[in-house]
Each structure stands twice: as structure tokens, then as C-alpha cells.
Amino acid sequence: GMGFRGQGMSIAVLDAGFENVDQLPIFERPRQEGRIQSGIDAMNSQGGLYAHHRHGTAVLGTIAGSLEDSLIGTAPEATFWLYRTEDAYSEYLIEEDYWIAAAEHADSVGVDLINTSLGYSQFDDSTMNHSVEDLNGITARISQAAEWAAEKGILCVTSAGNNGNDPWHYITAPADADGILAVGAVDMSGNHAAFSGFGPSSDGRVKPDVMALGVQA
């Protein structure tokens, strides 16, 4: 490799929860070195950051994991700020606002990168739903905010969403934001993963921006 291990970088991970990150051996090294920092639980929920869901744990593991002969993440030397913005128990538009509050906090502590493996399209209350036409980078609040973060110099990395197999076949907000890195999934042969959201944005920009291994990774 080229030796890029995230040294001196500060990475915010915005997700649904980081169950057991405070205990799992894979995170022991960054924990001991003080490189796992508590951002905010935007819902102020019981249990806080280290409860509710394992999705954030899995995402953080692929980046921060540091266990010899088992898993070394993509940036194991970085400092990580954890944020809970996604309510795993329901889907409402307020979760985009939770994300914005977390992104503002991440900006205030000077993060270099925000990772968001989340996406929004349709909600439990259908009057809140985005339309495919909304995927223009400027309609969804979360997409506006991702662009603002990018303009402030934060690299925003987000997933294309997991709706490729659904009636909503497309990317999800904030993957439509301008100036960010939206990542889709391929399998080991380089084929588009069936679940990975399809572009382009509604205003015709190529999305996702890049593809990476996302099947049995």
C-alpha cells in the first residue's frame, strides 16, 4: 500500500448507533489511544451512542478496525467522532434534521471527513416523502446541508442507498448533493450490486460518483 492509514485525520461517522463499540476488541486500540470521541446522540435517547443498532458498528469497523490477523480498516490511525442521527425504529423527515445538527457539531470540532451510510427517500408518513424529482441536490434538507459542509471543506462521503431492488430504484438523499462523494456498491466481479441505488441525479449529474466492493465485504 501507499501508507495512507488516516494519520492526523478526523472522521465523523453519522449513523443509527454504535452498539458495543465501547467493548469490542476490534476497537480497543483506538479506544485506548483516545481516538474514539463522542459526538452527539441527536435524539438524546436512553443508551446513547453505544446502543440501538449495529449498523454504525459495522461501518466504523471497516474504517477504524484494528485487530492484527483479523481486520485492519481503511484508516485505522484516524480519530473518530461518533454521531447518532438515524432513528432505527422509525423513518421520519426529522432524521434529516438530526443529521444536520450532527454535521454542524462535526464542523465545530474540525473534522476532515463525514461518513454517512444512510439515505432518505420515503417515510412512514407518506406526506413527507421525497419524489425522484427532488434528487437534484437542492431540494432535500439533508442534501443542502451536505453541500454546505462540502463548501466548508469537509469531504462528505455517502452511500448511494440500498433501494436498487425496490420500487424506489434510485439513489437517496444526500447522495444527490453536489460536491460530495456518493459511493455505490459492486460485487467481487465488478458488477453493480442489485441493492445499490441507481443514478443519475434528477438534474442529470452522474451519481454515484464511484463504486466500491459492497457485497460480502
Side-chain angles (χ1 to χ4, degrees):
M2 298 178 74
F4 297 122
R5 296 171 66 89
Q7 309 94 315
M9 297 287 289
S10 182
I11 298 173
V13 182
L14 280 55
D15 218 291
F18 299 89
E19 204 176 322
N20 298 328
V21 165
D22 51 343
Q23 296 162 29
L24 287 165
I26 193 96
F27 301 112
E28 188 173 349
R29 202 178 134 230
R31 276 201 312 268
Q32 284 184 339
E33 295 176 4
R35 292 188 289 104
I36 294 186
Q37 301 279 333
S38 296
I40 55 175
D41 172 2
M43 281 147 273
N44 292 322
S45 54
Q46 282 188 311
L49 290 169
Y50 299 116
H52 300 290
H53 213 277
R54 295 178 182 175
H55 187 268
T57 310
V59 170
L60 185 66
T62 63
I63 314 171
S66 189
L67 202 58
E68 214 155 314
D69 299 327
S70 174
L71 173 71
I72 303 293
T74 50
E77 307 283 344
T79 295
F80 301 92
W81 287 83
L82 307 188
Y83 294 89
R84 182 164 171 260
T85 66
E86 158 74 9
D87 184 348
Y89 308 109
S90 61
E91 190 81 336
Y92 290 110
L93 197 53
I94 193 172
E95 291 166 71
E96 295 193 17
D97 297 322
Y98 295 150
W99 188 96
I100 295 166
E104 287 182 339
H105 186 279
D107 179 36
S108 78
V109 298
V111 303
D112 300 295
L113 189 152
I114 289 175
N115 179 282
T116 312
S117 289
L118 306 169
Y120 299 96
S121 55
Q122 294 171 316
F123 299 93
D124 293 348
D125 175 354
S126 62
T127 65
M128 298 179 179
N129 284 356
H130 294 313
S131 67
V132 175
E133 291 71 39
D134 289 345
L135 296 173
N136 53 20
I138 54 176
T139 298
R141 294 201 286 264
I142 192 170
S143 302
Q144 291 175 15
E147 187 171 339
W148 296 336
E151 286 170 357
K152 290 181 180 297
I154 300 171
L155 176 59
C156 295
V157 181
T158 188
S159 64
N162 293 344
N163 294 97
N165 278 329
D166 302 341
W168 182 287
H169 178 70
Y170 305 97
I171 57 169
T172 48
D176 61 320
D178 212 0
I180 70 156
L181 196 67
V183 185
V186 292
D187 65 18
M188 291 179 88
S189 306
N191 300 312
H192 188 286
F195 62 81
S196 190
F198 290 80
S201 65
S202 65
D203 57 330
R205 285 171 293 121
V206 173
K207 289 283 179 178
D209 300 284
V210 295
M211 304 294 276
L213 180 65
V215 179
Q216 296 181 319

